[in-house]
Amino acid sequence: KAEVVKMGSGDVAKRARAEAANPAADVIWSISGSALTELADILEPYQPADHEKINPALIENDAWTPYTGVVYVLAVNTSMLPLEEAPKSWAELSDPKWKGQITSARADSSGSAMQQLQGVLTIFGDEGWKVYEGIAKNFVLSDSSGAVPRYVADGETPMGLTLEDNALQYVKGGAPMSIVHLTDGTIATPDGIALVKGGPNPDGGKKFIDWALSKSTQEVLVQEIGRRSARTDVGGPEGMPNLTELNLVSLKSIADLGGMDALLEEWRAATGQ
């Protein structure tokens, strides 16, 4: 039996750090790889069963294991905005005509929103903050990346920056939604799973990680949820382009971009929070 406490990535990280001296959790499950790397000192390295089947391109740190490949996209409500008129790049998202038209999660509580910020700063280099500030002026902020496609499907905004798999669920459900992989850089990063150092049930934690990365579980993730598998022997979601067809971006790390505190300070200034 597993007791799961579901929170945003930022809250998971804060709680794990606060409990580090006496952990209540055995596993941190499905938060961004960059957030797990920040927590590496409180994690116990563990190589799961079938480790040789994990895509080496997704492995970034020995302290955690890739769980899925997360692809970031623009979801478009095509009943509000015809797909041919929608922006196709990050640069186009900064156009002032899209003010109030783009939903995004908050980078101070969502690991995916933080990775989108890292992506813009990586793609545009010295101009990164200028481009991001332009995009941020057009934001309607939500509390989580999972809420973004709901906003778009419900017509609260015509566009939203979200995860490919979250958007796919609404497409499959019949929502008037299309998915855009942004041409000036598609962000594709691992989220991860990790064993907490000193957790109360380490053997159970290892079994859980083995299950999460098993071929059968990973196939369900692709077929039912639309995620990209971390395994090399499991294909991608139906109807989505192969990763080799996209302009993929290798993100600069949070440390390379100045550290989490500095990024959040700049993010709050850019978004007026």
Side-chain angles (χ1 to χ4, degrees):
K1 294 183 178 179
E3 179 183 352
V4 179
V5 178
K6 186 175 180 180
M7 297 178 287
S9 300
D11 292 330
V12 170
K14 289 174 187 175
R15 180 162 173 175
R17 181 67 70 187
E19 294 177 349
N22 186 26
D26 299 292
V27 172
I28 297 177
W29 181 27
S30 191
I31 72 171
S32 71
S34 58
L36 284 170
T37 295
E38 292 283 307
L39 296 172
D41 61 304
I42 64 169
L43 302 177
E44 186 71 37
Y46 171 65
Q47 284 199 354
D50 290 348
H51 185 266
E52 71 279 1
K53 298 293 187 181
I54 302 299
N55 187 339
L58 297 177
I59 297 174
E60 297 180 357
N61 190 291
D62 290 340
W64 54 273
T65 302
Y67 170 60
T68 62
V70 181
V71 177
Y72 295 92
V73 300
L74 180 71
V76 179
N77 184 318
T78 51
S79 68
M80 300 177 69
L81 178 65
L83 186 59
E84 59 270 18
E85 297 177 15
K88 303 299 189 299
S89 67
W90 292 100
E92 292 176 62
L93 291 175
S94 65
D95 192 317
K97 73 179 181 181
W98 303 123
K99 185 174 178 61
Q101 306 296 300
I102 305 167
T103 305
S104 171
R106 299 177 58 96
D108 57 354
S109 62
S110 166
S112 61
M114 174 56 69
Q115 295 215 311
Q116 289 163 5
L117 169 57
Q118 289 173 252
V120 173
L121 298 181
T122 299
I123 293 164
F124 295 99
D126 292 342
E127 296 292 309
W129 276 112
K130 180 179 178 180
V131 174
Y132 188 85
E133 287 169 4
I135 299 172
K137 288 177 182 177
N138 299 330
F139 279 164
V140 175
L141 293 172
S142 70
D143 290 332
S144 71
S145 58
V148 171
R150 186 180 72 242
Y151 274 48
V152 177
D154 291 347
E156 295 187 48
T157 61
M159 295 177 283
L161 291 167
T162 188
L163 282 63
E164 182 184 64
D165 57 290
N166 286 349
L168 270 173
Q169 293 303 302
Y170 285 87
V171 172
K172 291 179 179 179
M177 186 184 293
S178 288
I179 294 172
V180 175
H181 297 85
L182 297 168
T183 57
D184 47 2
T186 293
I187 302 166
T189 63
D191 71 343
I193 188 166
L195 192 67
V196 177
K197 187 183 295 183
N201 306 289
D203 290 340
K206 291 174 183 177
K207 289 178 181 177
F208 185 87
I209 293 172
D210 289 347
W211 165 81
L213 292 166
S214 67
K215 187 175 182 181
S216 59
T217 299
Q218 291 279 309
E219 287 174 339
V220 170
L221 288 170
V222 174
Q223 295 163 8
E224 303 296 330
I225 303 174
R227 275 286 175 99
R228 307 274 181 159
S229 175
R231 294 178 62 111
T232 56
D233 56 354
V234 177
E238 185 178 356
M240 290 292 98
N242 292 328
L243 294 183
T244 54
E245 299 172 22
L246 301 174
N247 180 19
L248 298 183
V249 177
S250 180
L251 295 186
K252 290 183 179 178
S253 70
I254 288 172
D256 287 342
L257 292 169
M260 183 66 77
D261 290 344
L263 284 175
L264 288 176
E265 183 178 352
E266 288 269 16
W267 176 84
R268 293 186 182 104
T271 55
Q273 298 298 299

